[in-house]
Amino acid sequence: MDAHAFRSQFPVLERLAFLNAGSDGPVAARAAAAASAQIERELHEGRAGRPHFERLIALASSLRGRLARVLGCEADEVALTGSATDGMSTVLSALSLGSDAEVLTSDEEHPGLLAPLEAARRRQGFSVRFVPFAELAGEVGPRTRLVACSHVSWVGGRMVDARALADSDALVLLDGAQGLGAVPVDVRELGCDFYAAAGQKWLCGPDGSGCLYVRPDLCEELLPPWPSYMSLAEPGRPSELIPHPGARRFDLGFSGPLFAWMLASLELFQEAGLDWVHERGTSLAAELTDSLRARGLEISPRDRTTLVSWRSDDPEGDVKRLSEAGVVVRYLPGRGLVRASVGAWNSEDDLERLLAAIRN
C-alpha cells in the first residue's frame, strides 16, 4: 500500500496532525460515504418489513466475518457490541465466579474494565487483586479464576505476556481496545478465552461499535446476560430463552449506518493489508519514541505498539498548547502523562509537527 494514498483517505489529516486514535480514530472518506448511503436508503425506503430486517442481518453477517479475519477466529465466535467495555461487561456479567474466587488485574487498567469489574465484584462477592502490569503472568495463584487485563496497556503501550497467562489455569479476558487494528491479533495464538475490542479506535469505525471474541465451548456454556430479540434462535418462544448458537447470542443492538461504516473501514484496512498497517504504525511510533528521548523527555515503558506516552509537569496544559498548534494528542488523568497514538495514516511530517510544537 502506498502510504500517501492510504493517508489521503482521511480528510482530517489535511488540517491536523491527528495522533489520538487511542481515543477515536480518524474517519475515512469511504466509511462516511457508506454510512450516509445507508441513512439515505433508510430515509427513502423506510425501516420496516422483512427486506429491511434481512438487509441488517446481511450487514451483520458480513461485519462478523470481516472482524473474525482481523481477530484470527471463526465468525460464529464473534459478537457485535457497542464498545470494548460492552464486551467486558458481557463477560463479567455472564460468568459466575463465586464468592471464594479471585480476579487478578493490573495497576494500568482503563475505567472501561475496572468499572464493570467492580460492579461484578459487588454482585458476586469475589476478591480483586491488583498487581504491576509487567508482573501479571507470575501472579496467578490457586484462587485466581479470572485474569482481566489489557492486551496493550492504554498508559504507555506495554503488551501483556498473554501466552504465559493462557498457560495458567485461570480464564483470561483481554481488553483489546488498544490492540485490535493497532498490532497483530490472533486470539488462538494469544490463548485468551475472551477478547473485547473497540471499533472506533484503531479500526476507525463509529462510536458505538465493537466486538467480543468468546472461546467456542464457553459460547455454549454462558447465557447472554442481557438477552433481547436478537439473542434468540427461536424468537417465537422467548420465554424458553433459546439463544443463538455461538457468540451471536451476545450481540448488543443492530444499526444499519454503524454497520455500513464499520464494514467500509474494515475493507479499507484489509485492502491496505493488515501487516502493512501494523508495521507502519508501530514503526512510526518507535521513531517518535527515539526523537522524544533525544529531546530529554521521559518515556513510559512500552513495547512495539502504537502508543507513546511521556512525563509532563502540566499534561493538560501541554495538550491544550499542542492543540493550538494543530496537533491532537491526549493526557492521561492522574498519571502525569501525555500520550500520542500513532497510526498507519500518520506521516513523518505529523511527528515533526508534534516535535516542533513541543520545542516551542
Side-chain angles (χ1 to χ4, degrees):
M1 167 59 68
D2 176 73
H4 178 76
F6 185 73
R7 178 182 173 86
S8 70
Q9 285 287 321
F10 300 92
V12 70
L13 300 176
E14 298 170 8
R15 188 171 58 88
L16 299 172
F18 189 89
L19 296 158
N20 196 29
S23 297
D24 271 291
V27 179
R30 71 162 68 175
S36 296
Q38 180 65 27
I39 291 171
E40 285 293 315
R41 182 178 297 110
E42 295 181 5
L43 173 67
H44 295 290
E45 297 180 14
R47 296 185 296 174
R50 191 168 186 86
H52 170 70
F53 188 72
E54 287 178 345
R55 279 196 297 268
L56 287 184
I57 294 292
L59 280 172
S61 178
S62 296
L63 179 55
R64 204 183 309 274
R66 285 194 177 269
L67 286 167
R69 287 167 55 190
V70 182
L71 287 160
C73 65
E74 299 299 322
D76 61 3
E77 297 163 10
V78 179
L80 304 178
T81 68
S83 63
T85 296
D86 272 358
M88 291 182 285
S89 293
T90 295
V91 172
L92 291 165
S93 298
L95 289 173
S96 296
L97 298 174
S99 58
D100 294 334
E102 172 189 87
V103 176
L104 185 67
T105 192
S106 91
D107 59 349
E108 294 191 6
E109 299 310 320
H110 190 275
L113 168 58
L114 296 180
L117 178 58
E118 172 59 15
R121 186 198 66 79
R122 294 186 188 188
R123 289 194 304 269
Q124 298 190 40
F126 54 74
S127 62
V128 176
R129 183 160 58 97
F130 292 82
V131 301
F133 185 81
E135 299 174 15
L136 272 163
E139 288 289 336
V140 179
R143 291 182 54 240
T144 308
R145 289 281 313 282
L146 174 71
V147 181
C149 67
S150 298
H151 177 203
V152 175
S153 169
W154 76 299
V155 174
R158 284 194 289 191
M159 196 176 298
V160 79
D161 188 348
R163 273 307 330 170
L165 293 176
D167 289 339
S168 74
D169 292 330
L171 293 170
V172 178
L173 163 61
L174 293 182
D175 174 357
Q178 303 299 341
L180 195 67
V183 298
V185 173
D186 186 319
V187 292
R188 303 277 195 264
E189 291 185 6
L190 291 171
C192 58
D193 303 286
F194 310 97
Y195 193 98
Q200 84 278 9
K201 298 180 186 287
W202 297 100
L203 294 174
C204 300
D207 290 323
S209 62
C211 60
L212 172 67
Y213 159 77
V214 183
R215 202 181 77 204
D217 57 316
L218 291 172
C219 284
E220 305 310 316
E221 287 181 22
L222 301 176
L223 287 174
W226 20 72
S228 68
Y229 185 95
M230 303 311 301
S231 308
L232 301 175
E234 298 287 347
R237 299 151 58 191
S239 294
E240 297 179 41
L241 187 56
I242 304 170
H244 281 294
R248 182 177 166 185
R249 66 181 62 194
F250 302 116
D251 279 1
L252 294 172
F254 266 38
S255 167
L258 265 62
F259 284 177
W261 175 343
M262 191 74 244
L263 264 173
S265 191
L266 280 168
E267 287 168 359
L268 171 62
F269 281 89
Q270 288 166 338
E271 285 174 14
L274 287 170
D275 290 343
W276 178 85
V277 168
H278 298 147
E279 178 57 30
R280 178 162 175 81
T282 56
S283 294
L284 285 171
E287 182 180 329
L288 176 61
T289 299
D290 291 342
S291 297
L292 290 169
R293 283 191 175 130
R295 285 159 176 76
L297 292 172
E298 179 186 346
I299 306 298
S300 292
R302 63 183 304 275
D303 292 311
R304 191 171 176 81
T305 63
T306 52
L307 299 180
V308 185
S309 298
W310 60 94
R311 187 67 53 191
S312 169
D313 294 331
D314 181 18
E316 188 170 2
D318 285 350
V319 168
K320 182 179 179 181
R321 286 186 288 274
L322 289 167
S323 177
E324 291 168 352
V327 179
V328 183
V329 293
R330 70 159 296 178
Y331 71 94
L332 303 185
R335 295 185 181 269
L337 296 172
V338 177
R339 189 189 74 189
S341 307
V342 188
W345 45 81
N346 288 122
S347 67
E348 288 77 4
D349 287 345
D350 290 335
L351 305 190
E352 184 52 42
R353 194 169 174 182
L354 167 61
L355 295 168
I358 289 175
R359 284 196 297 270
N360 294 335

